[in-house]
Structures are given as C-alpha cells and as structure tokens.
Amino acid sequence: MITINEHYLKLQASYLFSDIAKRVAAFQKNNPDKDIIKLGIGDVTRGLPAAAIKAFHNAVDEMANDATFKGYGPEQGYDFLRQAIAINDFQSRGADIAADEIFVSDGAKCDTGNIQELFSQDIKIAIPDPVYPVYLDTNVMAGRTGTFTDGRYQGLVYLDSTRANNFVPALPAEDVDLIYLCFPNNPTGSTISKAELKTWVDYAREHKALILFDAAYEAFIRDESLPKSIYEIEGAKEVAIEFRSFSKSAGFTGTRCAYTVVPKQCAAYDSSGNRHFLHSLWNRRHCTKFNGVSYPVQRAAEAVYSEEGKAQAKALIDYYMENSMAVCNTMDTLGYDYVGGKNSPYIWIDGRMDSWQFFDMLLNKAGVVCTPGAGFGKCGNGYIRISAFNSHEKVQEAMQRLTKVLSA
Ligand code: MLT
C-alpha cells in the first residue's frame, strides 16, 4: 500500500496566495462588472528592462544556430552571470563574495523552500511571525514541526514582529539552530539596521547556528545606511546563507531567475560535532536535483548589470516606489498606523479589525485586493498588506476607492 507523507496533513488548507486567488475569482464570477484592482500578491506588472529583452532575444537567436547553441549548462549557473552578480551585488558594497559562491536558480521561493533539506530533523528553528509562508510550510512538510494548535505549529520558536519591537524581532530567549530572517521584510516592509543585524550574526556565531537571510527586496532600499546584504556584517560568511532574486529587482517573476549565496566557510555540524561546509552540500543537492536556469534567461539577467540595464532596473524600482509613497500618503491622511513602504514595496497596515474581515470589506466595497495579515501568522492578525506592484493609475484609483470606504 502506498502511504503518504502525513506531515502534509498538518498544513493549513492551501497556500495563502492560492487561497486569495480563489476568493477573488469567486468574487469576480459573482460580480462580473466589478473592476478589481489587485494589490495582493507581490507580482510585478511592468515589462522587463530593455537591455534584458535585447540580451534575451540575442540568446534565443544563438540557440537557433548549431555553432552557438547551448545544451545543458553548468547547474550552478554560467560564469558570466555569477561573475556579474559577485562584482555588482557584493564586491561593490565591500562584501567579499566570490562568483563560485553563487548558485543561480529559478527562484528564491524554491531555494528558501529547498535549503532545509540540508539540515537534520531535530534542529530548533526560529521563524518570524508574521512570515513568508514558504519558510514555515516547507519545514512542516519535512516533519520538523508538531501539529497546528492555536494558530501556531508546535515545536518551533516564533519570533514575534509587532509594533512594540518596530517589526524587528528580538533574539530568541532559548537556543536555536536555524534562523529565518527577511529584510526588507515580507510581509511587513520593515527594515533592519546594520547594528541590529550584527546582533543576529553574533548570536549565530555564539550558538553555532545558521541564518537564512532572504534579501529578495534589497533593491527597494532607499536609506543607504541599511544593509542590502548580510555579508556587509563582519563574520556573517561563516553563519549565513543569502537568497536574492531578479523577480522584484528587475521584473523577472514570469521569467524566473534568482540566486543563493553559500560562502565557502559557511558550516554546519554532524551529530558528532564535526564541521561540514554547506557549500559542498548545497552544490551536491543543486547538481542532483536541478539542471540550471535556461541560457537565454541567464543572459537576460546578466544584462541587468550593464550600464543601461542598471538604469532601466532602477527606473522600474522607482516606478513601484512612487506607488509605495502614494499608499503611505493615503494612510497618513486617513490616520491608519502602518510600517513599510519607505524601503520596501509592501505596506503593512493596522486595519483595526480582523484581517480577513478587512480583506473582504476592501474586496466587496472597493474592489481592491490586499493580503490579509493573518495569512502570514498569528501576529499578522488585525493587519493587511498592500503591495505597490501595479500601475500608477491603478494604485491611484485604488487609493481613492479605499479612502471613500475607510472614511465613510
Ligand atoms: C508575495 O506576495 O509575498 C510574493 O510575491 C510571493 C513570492 O514572491 O513568492
């Protein structure tokens, strides 16, 4: 008899964004004339940078020609892209990351979900609340949690992010082995200072723990004093893995390209306390289970680092950040408390009511889709997340509708 992985039965009904999409589709079916504005899932809406498109086209043409055709590429990514990443994203900011410490992939979601395979079943995991659901669900699937009781999985250490700590969690009171951090944060849009991040790096060094640092939203940082990479913090290379993505920084959500940095000295331990380098373990996993991102996509990603590509990607970010500002201004005018939006495409708003109720109210009365904070964890209840990824016109319209509903 074939039996299932029963840990899947502990998961909540469906993945948050599928759940929301179903609710919106049902609403649309019952209200076919209603014009819905989506500020829910953080999916980009604008075309790729022209430089990326040009490189994409050229690479497709190369694939049509026997002399320049590419079959399987290196699983870790082509050297041209790994070099461009190392130089532009790290070395230019004083972070000493080498090209061969970069693993190109098809998404930070996949990488943050897959990385937990490297660790043993009985580690103690610290996970923020609210949190990007992938970190949590993949550990549930792997059997590292107990059952879901009172809005939380047993066996995890939750790191509360609330107004009281400015949405930057405090260090855990107990010993933990694996720590998930994401800054600028999804969902709250909060940021972490270098001094605060250093306390986490110091904690990890002291406790022989590992930090999984999701920096998918670093391109939205406007305040130059904030760290874009955890490797800007001294000592982080031994204790941190970082995830990055071209999805939000260059509009690649539908194109798929991301990368994970595993520094060569980053280590974890076996049950006898012997040190093992995670670079070789991740390399082994990557080569066994992944066959690389397509050549044209990697050429398109490389072009994001050309002079024109950089300017075009910056223009994309600036565009979305204007939306962020419009949302912040509306909340200021309405007197709603919020965080985020200043260095992030997400605005986390205290809705002053149950977050699914707020979600339904916005959908029904304004035709605006947001993400209910409760979907990201217990601490998210009462909050909603608004995403800045849409056109200026739609965001303006959404803010007008929202103002009408919330000031009625
Ligand atoms: C989000 O809305 O939180 C993100 O778009 C999800 C993702 O990047 O996978």
Side-chain angles (χ1 to χ4, degrees):
M1 179 177 72
I2 176 71
T3 53
I4 58 162
N5 171 357
E6 291 194 19
H7 299 301
Y8 272 66
L9 304 180
K10 296 177 197 158
L11 291 165
Q12 298 309 287
S14 65
Y15 183 61
L16 174 64
F17 293 106
S18 325
D19 197 10
I20 292 169
K22 273 190 219 136
R23 285 183 185 230
V24 174
F27 177 82
Q28 186 81 87
K29 199 167 160 221
N30 294 332
N31 302 273
D33 300 332
K34 259 245 163 76
D35 167 37
I36 293 178
I37 302 176
K38 292 185 180 166
L39 304 178
I41 191 165
D43 193 6
V44 295
T45 56
R46 293 179 70 74
L48 292 174
I53 285 295
K54 189 160 167 252
F56 214 160
H57 278 294
N58 289 343
V60 169
D61 287 341
E62 282 184 67
M63 296 299 267
N65 186 329
D66 289 352
T68 49
F69 169 80
K70 301 274 187 296
Y72 292 128
E75 292 93 342
Q76 303 85 347
Y78 282 98
D79 199 45
F80 60 76
L81 179 56
R82 299 172 90 195
Q83 289 287 358
I85 291 169
I87 293 167
N88 290 284
D89 287 349
F90 296 100
Q91 293 163 15
S92 71
R93 293 187 64 86
D96 174 28
I97 294 295
D100 63 357
E101 294 176 310
I102 286 153
F103 293 85
V104 176
S105 77
D106 60 348
K109 177 181 184 174
C110 319
D111 285 353
T112 54
N114 290 329
I115 197 83
Q116 46 77 28
E117 281 183 31
L118 301 191
F119 312 113
S120 74
Q121 285 301 107
D122 55 357
I123 50 169
K124 198 73 170 161
I125 303 173
I127 225 152
D129 180 354
V131 73
Y132 178 45
V134 174
Y135 316 153
L136 186 59
D137 287 0
T138 51
N139 278 295
V140 176
M141 289 169 178
R144 289 200 190 83
T145 71
T147 50
F148 192 71
T149 314
D150 285 338
R152 288 190 161 175
Y153 286 97
Q154 303 296 300
L156 294 177
V157 173
Y158 282 92
L159 305 169
D160 290 0
S161 306
T162 62
R163 174 45 84 198
N165 56 24
N166 221 9
F167 303 93
V168 178
L171 296 175
E174 58 194 289
D175 283 5
V176 299
D177 308 306
L178 186 66
I179 300 156
Y180 286 84
L181 293 178
C182 171
F183 289 105
N185 187 258
N186 181 14
T188 68
S190 64
T191 52
I192 193 165
S193 69
K194 281 188 182 163
E196 286 166 328
L197 191 52
K198 184 172 181 313
T199 65
W200 285 96
V201 170
D202 291 346
Y203 174 96
R205 292 178 70 86
E206 197 184 319
H207 292 78
K208 293 189 172 168
L210 183 78
I211 299 171
L212 299 178
F213 190 73
D214 186 348
Y217 297 95
E218 55 74 34
F220 296 85
I221 290 178
R222 292 294 164 94
D223 177 347
E224 275 300 316
S225 73
L226 297 172
K228 287 187 160 227
S229 164
I230 196 165
Y231 305 119
E232 291 173 37
I233 310 298
E234 207 187 321
K237 282 172 71 178
E238 286 83 4
V239 292
I241 288 176
E242 181 165 309
F243 305 91
R244 294 271 190 112
S245 173
F246 292 90
S247 281
K248 316 288 157 84
S249 64
F252 274 53
T253 54
T255 310
R256 311 307 306 149
C257 197
Y259 64 89
T260 289
V261 186
V262 188
K264 296 240 182 67
Q265 56 270 68
C266 187
Y269 303 83
D270 64 23
S271 51
S272 309
N274 300 313
R275 207 155 69 114
H276 296 270
F277 292 111
L278 292 169
H279 186 275
S280 57
L281 297 190
W282 185 243
N283 189 51
R284 186 72 174 80
R285 192 250 169 228
H286 207 67
C287 294
T288 305
K289 296 198 176 183
F290 187 62
N291 247 340
V293 173
S294 80
Y295 173 71
V297 168
Q298 293 195 56
R299 279 294 184 200
E302 179 198 21
V304 171
Y305 296 107
S306 64
E307 282 316 306
E308 45 171 0
K310 281 183 197 167
Q312 291 157 0
K314 182 180 174 302
L316 271 183
I317 301 290
D318 289 348
Y319 184 93
Y320 294 126
M321 286 306 281
E322 274 189 48
N323 288 340
S324 268
M325 286 304 123
V327 177
C328 292
N329 291 339
T330 304
M331 292 305 136
D332 286 335
T333 308
L334 290 170
Y336 273 70
D337 185 37
Y338 67 92
V339 65
K342 306 284 169 19
N343 295 284
S344 148
Y346 296 131
I347 300 96
W348 185 246
I349 300 161
D350 182 351
R352 305 174 190 162
M353 65 172 87
D354 171 86
S355 46
W356 279 104
Q357 215 180 327
F358 199 100
F359 169 88
D360 285 334
M361 181 187 75
L362 277 194
L363 183 59
N364 289 311
K365 295 197 175 158
V368 173
V369 179
C370 64
T371 309
F376 297 102
K378 207 171 176 175
C379 291
N381 203 9
Y383 285 84
I384 56 145
R385 189 193 76 176
I386 288 191
S387 145
F389 296 114
N390 213 320
S391 66
H392 286 167
E393 296 71 25
K394 294 235 171 184
V395 171
Q396 290 298 348
E397 167 73 22
M399 290 306 107
Q400 278 167 20
R401 292 188 200 173
L402 209 127
T403 302
K404 222 163 151 186
V405 170
L406 296 182
S407 43

